[in-house]
Amino acid sequence: MADLPELDISRRGMLGGGTATVVIAASPVAAAQDKEPMQADPPAPIPLSFEVNGEKRDLTLDSRTTLLDALREHLHLTGTKKGCDHGQCGACTVLVDGVRINSCLTLAVMHQGDRITTIEGLGTPDRLHPMQAAFVQHDGYQCGYCTPGQICSAVAVLDEIGRGVPSYVAADLTERPRMTDIEMRERMSGNICRCGAYSNIAEAMAQVAGERA
Amino acid sequence: MKFDTPAGANPIDRTAVVGRPHDRIDGPLKTTGTAPYAYEHHAEVRNPACGYILGSAIGKGRIGAMDLAEAKTAPGVLAIVTAQDAGKLGKGKFNTAKLLGGPDIDHYHQAIAVVVAETFEQARAAAALIRVDYIRAKGRFDLAEELKTAPLTGNSNGGAPPKEARVGDFEQAFAAAPVTLDATYTTPDQSHMMMEPFASLAAWHGDELTVWTSNQMIDWGRTDLAITLGIPKEKIRFLSPYVGGGFGGKLFLRADAVMAALGARAAKRPVKVAMPRPLMANNSTHRPATVQRIRIGATREGTITAIAHESGSGDLPGGRPETAVNQSKLLYAGANRLTAMRLAVLDLPEGNAMRAPGEAPGMMALEIAIDEMAERLGMDPIAFRVKNDTQVDPEKPERPFSERNLVRCLREGADRFGWARRDPRPGQVRDGRWLIGMGMAAAFRNSSLVPSGARVRLGRDGILVVETDMTDIGTGSYTIIGQTAAEMLGLPLNKVQVRLADSRFPVSAGSGGQFGAASSTSGVYAACLKLREAVAQRLGFNTTDAVFEGGTVKSGNRSADLADATRAGDLTGEDKVEPGDLEKKYQISTFGAHFVEVGVDAYTGVMRVRRMLAVCDAGRILNPKTARSQVIGAMTMGVGGALMEELAVDKRFGFFVNHDLASYEVPVHLDIPHQEVLFLDGTDDKASPMKAKGVGELGLCGVGAAVANAVYNATGVRVRDYPVTLEKHLDRLPGAA
Ligand code: FES
Ligand code: FES
């Protein structure tokens, strides 16, 4: 640390809180290796293939590209939304081999050979998936930005409950979970809707769950 | 059309399409991910470059030096724009702080550079290589401290001279009152946190600029972008066909649009920019924190004789106050009154409108005060409110309310919610480990009609096309505008095509201030009147008695197919609605009542909302399904405001610490129970030609206090500082043993 005077100043400035010259090197590593700039070795693109909505897709991607950006920017499947890019909102929810994940929290190159389903793969405006139709009927959305993530999650949640996956609100872990309101609300809680359509989403899910049962 | 006399009988009264709970016409697109938002216009622009915004790391001061060398040579980088090389930039009339900072820094995370690269990953990596030498200056970051010397201020429009508003002699009446309350309440800074980040895609063609963006107000954004870039407004096309939430955060031009335009100019390529989520809270605007002192004096019988509401808030130099005293001028009677606001100068990020600015935090405070006062009087809080209802503006008694059914909202809500079962003594009801409480609050928000234009065209294909620059931010504009046009021309909704949010269309109200729905549909109404004239004329019918119904036009005993009128070519109508002085003669507001039941864990202090009901009185409800969604969404946001939302201020360095969706907590599914909404049947002929008002903000005004009052009823511990979090009452909970 002794050879990083700038960072030292920066830290004192930060701790002191007073008026000071503050130099904030964006990356301590870069600052430490001034003689060898980072751009010497850009990450090499990596070939990759996976199945998206039933179709095999081949891509060559920057290793830093998330699954979310692979879908949105490279395959132009923009139905999957980027609300935070940090795993905080659920807008990017997709199904990978039938299980829901936040696609912003996983790199595309980790999905070689995987089977991915996005909102576009569930249904189309002319042939809505039952969950999509229920969202329309119950007005389970407003601005629509969290909606694809909510719908992908909702489909997965019913499947999880059906498979007996336990949850935080389970009173008894040895009993099979049931399609109750509280089970659904708990399991959907990683999908934020700032428009506040929760009450309606719960009704849409209850309807689909009821039709299934 | 000038709206200067109350609306008479008109074609909307038929309510064959308007007033019906139609599914949203944009629903199939939104639920299948095929509605394109700002960052997603791949069909229009192939292969744009990506811009990444760098935000200031200090709250106040200036940039001593910026070293871009390493960033410029990073892989894929096409251009970097900073204040030094952006050329001369103006500041939009709706912006308090400039959108590209440097060398002076006005607030934390103010944009100081945009890095444009071939890909997002490259732009982000290069932005991290920019080295900035900051010279930090002392800033004013502590609201309570700055309010000690803050001056009085006028209203947010800057028009009125800074002064107190007084009626009678408040001090004397308050001193004489046998029952009084003098309490101070605080509300914190809050963040809009709409789910779609600020995003823009900018493309230049010569000196013409097209921007797909996410903005509530097309014409404001376009105008301010022109001012900022110093180019004629006519050279800019500005579009926001889908907006992923705004709540006031997207009322104004923001850094994403400016950075995309500057980046595209520098890179000579279309550029798209999305603001990283962790930048949003500090880079953009927020709802300012308030400190509110409320004093109420009443007779022993519960008649308010004195009421004062004083609020203090802060903002950047040149900024505006949070007008938290608004509702206290109008909601309750009382012969002696005082309202006043103080505005401190702060160097925190820009404070500005968030859903129901003024009333939302104002009602959070006032409606706790009313609850406290009712308790002191030994009165039921509903009875106390009913007793002090007023049908006229208490400051100007010659001005009646156009429609005011607050008492009905309170009473019908009480019946529906089972209010009679509430134990008025707090801390009495238990359900296992849960302390149970019920609370309520009035809802109140003003309503206004603003100018709004539209163009309609009836084609030979039988399709009626509506064009207006109105936006749909989740509010249901597409659908209610379609319903309005369908009603006016006697067509089914599926014969109407609605095109929104393009600056090539007539300027509309835009989405804000709860004026959007009534104003924009009234603009469409006006345009449709013109189209009806054109149709009648072409058919040789008398315009005044022509009836448009079921695809036919009837006049006297003559009748024709609507299609006959367009056989010789399309017909169009264009007009706008303009308010007259009805708002001067009448006070036009919306009313409601919120009811909430909570459970408070006696051992942990955790609060759970168990039931919620809102009763709303907002004139004609254009679509009960989408209006209800507006209200439940607002109720949800109200729960957030009551129980969790707070931007934590770092008073040493001047920034909001919890600036992302992990640390700025908003309600999630499990926090929200089933919500019920009732709309009173009714119309307000003085509000708009549609006889409609707004509900999107009404639904928020009062909810927070209803939750806080319910928590008090459960625990007997009064918390006056929002949000009501468990550490504020945990040590005083009753009977945990
Ligand atoms: S975008 Fe992935 S969780 Fe928010
Ligand atoms: S519909 Fe807007 S965030 Fe959920």
Side-chain angles (χ1 to χ4, degrees):
Chain A
M1 276 297 164
D3 55 351
L4 291 174
E6 297 147 342
L7 280 181
D8 204 19
I9 291 167
S10 152
R11 192 172 304 110
R12 255 190 282 119
M14 292 300 283
L15 293 174
T19 307
T21 298
V22 189
V23 178
I24 296 176
S27 152
V29 179
Q33 303 174 340
D34 259 353
K35 279 156 248 144
E36 278 192 55
M38 296 263 293
Q39 62 264 37
D41 50 345
I46 296 177
L48 157 79
S49 62
F50 47 34
E51 192 187 297
V52 181
N53 300 332
E55 211 181 309
K56 183 158 178 294
R57 308 300 297 252
D58 300 304
L59 291 167
T60 300
L61 291 178
D62 189 315
S63 57
R64 297 167 296 186
T65 303
T66 59
L67 176 58
L68 172 60
D69 281 330
L71 295 168
R72 282 171 62 82
E73 304 303 321
H74 297 269
L75 299 176
H76 292 181
L77 290 168
T78 52
T80 309
K81 303 303 181 193
K82 186 188 280 192
C84 69
D85 218 12
H86 288 70
Q88 302 169 345
C89 76
C92 63
T93 306
V94 299
L95 309 178
V96 175
D97 296 329
V99 175
R100 59 184 172 144
I101 63 167
N102 286 343
S103 62
C104 71
L105 275 192
T106 185
L107 297 171
V109 295
M110 295 158 69
H111 294 281
Q112 171 66 34
D114 283 353
R115 199 166 40 82
I116 293 149
T117 306
T118 70
I119 189 72
E120 292 94 340
L122 288 182
T124 61
D126 302 325
R127 291 177 63 102
L128 296 176
H129 181 280
M131 190 64 80
Q132 292 168 323
F135 266 61
V136 173
Q137 188 188 333
H138 293 277
D139 215 37
Y141 58 97
Q142 292 170 39
C143 77
Y145 201 76
C146 74
T147 311
Q150 301 279 359
I151 291 172
C152 286
S153 243
V155 168
V157 160
L158 298 194
D159 181 59
E160 283 161 26
I161 298 175
R163 283 189 287 118
V165 178
S167 84
Y168 157 73
V169 294
D172 182 347
L173 286 181
T174 61
E175 257 176 39
R176 278 193 85 76
R178 288 178 306 120
M179 297 276 179
T180 59
D181 184 59
I182 186 103
E183 278 287 355
M184 292 191 239
R185 285 181 197 266
E186 155 57 17
R187 291 166 195 262
M188 289 297 290
S189 287
N191 288 83
I192 294 174
C193 177
R194 186 56 162 161
C195 293
Y198 300 131
S199 190
N200 288 352
I201 292 172
E203 277 166 36
M205 289 179 69
Q207 177 182 310
V208 176
E211 279 168 6
R212 274 190 167 191
Chain B
M1 69 179 283
K2 189 99 176 156
F3 182 65
D4 46 14
T5 52
N10 71 35
I12 299 296
D13 294 330
R14 187 174 37 188
T15 59
V17 194
V18 168
R20 307 277 160 180
H22 279 285
D23 291 347
R24 288 174 202 252
I25 59 177
D26 46 338
L29 296 182
K30 282 181 171 173
T31 54
T32 55
T34 46
Y37 293 79
Y39 202 72
E40 303 167 356
H41 289 275
H42 293 293
E44 290 88 344
V45 179
R46 293 210 345 260
N47 202 26
C50 282
Y52 196 87
I53 298 174
L54 182 66
S56 164
I58 62 167
K60 177 78 183 162
R62 63 190 174 83
I63 295 172
M66 258 174 126
D67 182 355
L68 306 178
E70 213 177 336
K72 272 188 172 158
T73 56
V77 172
L78 302 168
I80 300 178
V81 182
T82 68
Q84 265 200 324
D85 42 37
K88 190 172 146 33
L89 295 180
K91 182 158 76 75
K93 39 177 191 176
F94 290 101
N95 296 127
T96 305
K98 54 191 190 297
L99 297 176
L100 177 59
D104 292 331
I105 299 295
D106 303 306
H107 62 87
Y108 190 75
H109 276 174
Q110 187 172 32
I112 56 170
V114 60
V115 179
V116 180
E118 290 287 348
T119 70
F120 171 71
E121 293 81 9
Q122 290 170 334
R124 182 180 56 190
L129 297 175
I130 296 177
R131 295 161 64 88
V132 186
D133 183 351
Y134 294 101
I135 297 150
R136 189 189 284 133
K138 193 169 155 46
R140 296 152 287 188
F141 305 130
D142 186 340
L143 176 63
E145 195 52 41
E146 299 302 324
L147 276 178
K148 289 177 186 162
T149 53
L152 287 168
T153 184
N155 64 29
S156 69
N157 303 323
K163 64 170 186 337
E164 300 172 322
R166 285 179 173 277
V167 176
D169 186 335
F170 168 77
E171 281 78 4
Q172 205 176 39
F174 185 70
V179 184
T180 59
L181 170 85
D182 181 349
T184 298
Y185 306 85
T186 62
T187 64
D189 297 289
Q190 293 181 338
S191 185
H192 308 85
M193 287 291 170
M194 53 288 193
M195 290 299 302
E196 182 202 20
F198 297 105
S200 292
L201 164 57
W204 291 90
H205 299 277
D207 64 350
E208 302 203 337
L209 174 64
T210 305
V211 182
W212 288 267
T213 186
S214 186
N215 195 294
Q216 299 172 221
M217 307 291 292
I218 295 300
D219 193 55
W220 291 7
R222 181 191 190 207
T223 305
D224 270 357
L225 183 57
I227 292 171
T228 305
L229 298 176
I231 63 175
K233 178 174 161 177
E234 294 65 39
K235 298 283 185 192
I236 299 176
R237 186 175 176 200
F238 206 74
L239 309 94
S240 292
Y242 294 95
V243 179
F247 314 114
K250 293 175 180 169
L251 281 171
F252 316 113
L253 180 73
R254 298 303 318 165
D256 56 303
V258 177
M259 297 301 117
L262 293 174
R265 187 151 71 185
K268 301 186 171 51
R269 280 251 308 258
V271 167
K272 59 180 182 177
V273 174
M275 189 171 293
R277 175 63 63 179
L279 245 60
M280 289 179 60
N282 285 287
N283 175 282
S284 71
T285 62
H286 64 279
R287 188 202 297 285
T290 63
V291 178
Q292 303 179 46
R293 181 183 185 199
I294 296 176
R295 284 173 287 170
I296 303 173
T299 64
R300 287 193 205 289
E301 295 70 41
T303 299
I304 295 176
T305 52
I307 181 165
H309 192 162
E310 296 157 280
S311 173
S313 60
D315 202 358
L316 286 166
R320 295 179 300 178
E322 179 70 22
T323 56
V325 303
N326 284 351
Q327 71 292 320
S328 302
K329 294 166 173 288
L330 293 161
L331 190 46
Y332 298 112
N336 301 285
R337 323 177 64 88
L338 162 65
T339 50
M341 290 183 291
R342 290 184 188 275
L343 178 61
V345 176
L346 292 179
D347 297 300
L348 288 170
E350 176 176 335
N352 217 317
M354 177 168 150
R355 197 174 200 170
E359 279 101 328
M363 290 292 280
M364 286 168 85
L366 177 66
E367 289 296 288
I368 293 186
I370 293 291
D371 199 62
E372 295 200 60
M373 196 61 194
E375 191 182 28
R376 281 181 195 200
L377 288 158
M379 281 178 86
D380 178 83
I382 294 176
F384 181 49
R385 286 174 171 90
V386 169
K387 184 154 191 131
N388 291 285
D389 187 46
T390 173
Q391 292 295 317
V392 298
D393 174 349
E395 287 183 0
K396 301 185 194 78
E398 67 284 4
R399 246 178 115 236
F401 283 92
S402 58
E403 277 286 329
R404 172 168 166 138
N405 301 300
L406 175 62
V407 171
R408 254 186 80 196
C409 294
L410 295 168
R411 292 204 169 125
E412 290 183 22
D415 282 350
R416 180 76 167 217
F417 199 70
W419 183 253
R421 294 198 306 272
R422 169 183 179 263
D423 190 329
R425 297 165 306 153
Q428 301 299 314
V429 183
R430 283 293 281 259
D431 173 8
R433 62 187 292 148
W434 295 94
L435 302 160
I436 308 300
M438 283 193 213
M440 55 77 55
F444 175 88
R445 172 73 170 150
N446 284 332
S447 171
S448 62
L449 182 70
V450 303
S452 194
R455 182 161 63 216
V456 288
R457 187 177 63 248
L458 187 59
R460 270 191 280 191
D461 54 2
I463 299 293
L464 177 62
V465 177
V466 189
E467 293 176 334
T468 164
D469 86 354
M470 181 62 188
T471 50
D472 187 330
I473 64 171
T475 38
S477 311
Y478 275 108
T479 310
I480 56 174
I481 282 173
Q483 287 175 270
T484 302
E487 192 80 80
M488 290 299 288
L489 274 295
L491 289 170
L493 188 52
N494 65 10
K495 293 287 182 206
V496 182
Q497 211 181 81
V498 182
R499 297 184 187 155
L500 298 183
D502 182 337
S503 58
R504 290 185 174 172
F505 303 154
V507 173
S508 74
S511 301
Q514 167 163 294
F515 52 63
S519 302
S520 70
T521 52
S522 292
V524 173
Y525 168 93
C528 287
L529 283 182
K530 285 271 158 60
L531 178 60
R532 287 164 57 112
E533 280 169 27
V535 168
Q537 223 168 43
R538 185 156 300 160
L539 293 172
F541 285 15
N542 185 349
T543 314
T544 45
D545 72 348
V547 175
F548 291 66
E549 211 168 18
T552 64
V553 191
K554 296 194 192 88
S555 170
N557 46 18
R558 298 174 57 199
S559 172
D561 272 0
L562 193 54
D564 294 341
T566 47
R567 215 148 269 150
D570 295 358
L571 285 170
T572 61
E574 179 170 344
D575 200 2
K576 67 175 170 190
V577 69
E578 286 177 286
D581 62 357
L582 285 170
E583 288 179 32
K584 287 207 188 71
K585 287 191 219 147
Y586 299 94
Q587 176 56 40
I588 301 174
S589 305
T590 59
F591 304 89
H594 287 288
F595 292 84
V596 173
E597 182 181 297
V598 300
V600 180
D601 189 307
Y603 304 100
T604 66
V606 162
M607 288 153 277
R608 309 292 310 167
V609 177
R610 297 186 152 202
R611 291 194 295 137
M612 298 184 85
L613 164 70
V615 186
C616 300
D617 167 30
R620 171 172 278 145
I621 298 302
L622 301 172
N623 178 329
K625 186 176 267 194
T626 55
R628 180 177 172 281
S629 283
Q630 282 289 287
V631 177
I632 66 167
M635 291 158 80
T636 301
M637 194 173 269
V639 170
L643 298 181
M644 59 194 88
E645 292 185 35
E646 174 175 21
L647 285 167
V649 181
D650 184 320
K651 291 175 187 152
R652 301 159 307 163
F653 294 99
F655 70 104
F656 299 128
V657 180
N658 49 340
H659 50 75
D660 62 22
L661 274 167
S663 49
Y664 184 84
E665 293 184 6
V666 299
V668 299
H669 279 268
L670 197 57
D671 296 320
I672 302 300
H674 175 75
Q675 294 164 320
E676 205 179 341
V677 181
L678 296 178
F679 294 110
L680 296 192
D681 266 345
T683 56
D684 189 335
D685 61 359
K686 298 165 192 84
S688 63
M690 301 293 291
K691 304 176 189 173
K693 299 187 270 199
V695 292
E697 299 189 333
L698 175 68
L700 178 59
C701 298
V703 195
V707 174
N709 293 340
V711 170
Y712 172 74
N713 181 243
T715 64
V717 183
R718 185 64 81 174
V719 178
R720 299 189 182 88
D721 299 302
Y722 288 102
V724 182
T725 44
L726 61 90
E727 79 283 1
K728 293 177 185 168
H729 64 197
L730 183 57
D731 60 344
R732 287 176 286 161
L733 292 182

